[in-house]
């Protein structure tokens, strides 16, 4: 079975002091749980601090983005090897980056390849907008995002895929577990199986993201094809994030 995984996407939030206190609280509450990967994704300037704060625990660190190029005259950008010195994971293709910063399936593909080459685990984000869902295009959009992002990627062993319907992100209104499972156990899993074969595809952790909170997490985790969560707003509240991690571990039978 794919390893249960819960990642917190802090987005552009927290001060240095808040980042330290959040990481310290989480280290105390979820630093030593076995059988489930816990990943904190703070803003770039706090990666080092957060990494040092959780050092010695089994909490992983992730970045929220990176450039695909190795080095050079790219003012303001961060390379895969820079990220890999501090992180285990990198979130790629988040819908906010697609909508606000011009990320395309092609650039996400370059980033996934570069992340893997640098030894990082990409958390590849896919998901349809409300307009796409209402037009009946959710499946085809997500299928295209998956196949394009993974074009040329031969090995699935370090991949994590997050299904985040855009209309559920930051709205306080999550998708239903059934709707998420329809996409995740459907078009996402089908494409992964077509690309990598069933045994390897079934080892890829599939995370649901979009307004996950302590109240909604259980229903998502009860779906067999959902192995964890990518959490935005609730990841900034240490009790909420710890609750989401513990519920996931409990439902998946690893704690
Ligand atoms: P949210 O964000 O939990 O605040 O909806 C999720 C995400 O964007 O990863």
């Amino acid at each position: 079975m794919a390893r249960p995984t819960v990642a917190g996407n802090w987005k552009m939030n927290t001060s240095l002091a808040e980042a330290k206190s959040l990481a310290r609280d989480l280290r105390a509450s979820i630093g030593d749980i076995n059988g489930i990967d816990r990943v904190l994704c703070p803003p770039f300037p706090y990666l080092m601090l957060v990494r040092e704060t959780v050092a010695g625990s089994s909490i992983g660190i992730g970045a929220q983005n990176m450039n695909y190029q190795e080095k050079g005259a790219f003012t303001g950008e961060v390379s895969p090897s820079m990220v890999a010195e501090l992180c285990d994971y990198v979130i790629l293709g988040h819908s906010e980056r697609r909508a606000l910063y011009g990320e395309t399936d092609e650039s996400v593909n370059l980033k996934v390849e570069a992340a893997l080459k640098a030894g990082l685990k990409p958390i590849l984000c896919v998901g349809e907008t409300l307009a796409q869902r209402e037009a009946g295009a959710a499946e085809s959009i997500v299928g295209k995002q998956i196949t394009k992002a993974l074009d040329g990627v031969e090995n699935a062993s370090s991949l994590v895929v997050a299904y985040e319907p855009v209309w559920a992100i930051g709205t306080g209104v999550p998708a239903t577990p059934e709707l998420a499972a329809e996409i995740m156990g459907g078009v996402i899993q089908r494409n992964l199986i077509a690309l990598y074969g069933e045994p390897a595809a079934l080892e890829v952790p599939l995370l649901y993201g979009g307004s996950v909170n302590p109240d909604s997490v259980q229903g998502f985790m009860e779906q067999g094809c959902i192995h964890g969560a990518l959490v935005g707003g609730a990841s900034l509240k240490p009790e909420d994030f710890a609750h989401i991690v513990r519920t996931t571990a409990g439902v998946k039978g690893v704690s």
Side-chain angles (χ1 to χ4, degrees):
M1 184 184 106
R3 192 169 163 85
T5 303
V6 175
N9 175 8
W10 296 7
K11 308 193 181 183
M12 198 171 73
N13 292 299
T14 71
S15 65
L16 193 68
E18 287 164 351
K20 178 154 187 152
S21 129
L22 185 50
R24 206 170 29 208
D25 287 355
L26 291 170
R27 188 204 159 108
S29 59
I30 55 163
D32 296 314
I33 305 180
N34 291 320
I36 176 166
D37 286 346
R38 292 131 291 141
V39 187
L40 310 184
C41 305
F44 282 131
Y46 308 151
L47 283 171
M48 184 76 166
L49 172 79
V50 170
R51 181 185 143 109
E52 284 174 358
T53 306
V54 302
S57 78
S58 54
I59 293 177
I61 305 291
Q64 299 173 18
N65 178 36
M66 60 170 216
N67 198 293
Y68 60 87
Q69 292 167 106
E70 211 21 68
K71 63 176 178 178
F74 303 106
T75 301
E77 292 296 293
V78 174
S79 77
S81 59
M82 292 171 190
V83 171
E85 281 189 88
L86 298 174
C87 297
D88 317 285
Y89 294 81
V90 59
I91 298 171
L92 295 175
H94 190 281
S95 64
E96 285 151 16
R97 297 216 54 88
R98 293 181 193 254
L100 303 172
Y101 301 103
E103 294 245 357
T104 61
D105 288 332
E106 289 70 28
S107 64
V108 174
N109 176 236
L110 292 168
K111 290 181 180 196
V112 170
E113 288 186 321
L116 290 169
K117 200 166 146 223
L120 288 159
K121 296 181 184 178
I123 302 175
L124 167 63
C125 299
V126 297
E128 80 288 355
T129 63
L130 187 59
Q132 289 164 337
R133 171 157 290 271
E134 285 174 351
E139 273 214 16
S140 64
I141 291 290
V142 171
K144 181 167 147 272
Q145 289 173 335
I146 289 278
T147 49
K148 290 209 164 185
L150 298 178
D151 187 26
V153 173
E154 279 165 15
N155 191 329
S157 64
S158 294
L159 281 181
V160 178
V161 174
Y163 171 58
E164 299 203 308
V166 178
W167 43 272
I169 295 178
T171 58
V173 185
T176 63
E178 294 72 27
L179 183 151
E182 200 178 301
I183 295 282
M184 297 169 76
V187 65
I188 293 180
Q189 213 142 58
R190 269 203 314 279
N191 275 292
L192 291 174
I193 290 171
L195 287 166
Y196 304 111
E198 189 155 326
L202 296 182
E203 292 293 317
V204 176
L206 303 184
L207 317 186
Y208 167 76
S211 300
V212 173
N213 60 36
D215 296 330
S216 64
V217 64
Q218 170 122 6
F220 288 105
M221 296 314 138
E222 283 169 354
Q223 300 286 337
C225 61
I226 303 181
H227 311 113
L230 179 54
V231 185
S235 73
L236 298 169
K237 299 180 197 138
E239 301 81 24
D240 284 6
F241 191 69
H243 187 291
I244 290 166
V245 167
R246 280 202 213 90
T247 301
T248 302
V251 176
K252 297 302 177 190
V254 294
S255 68

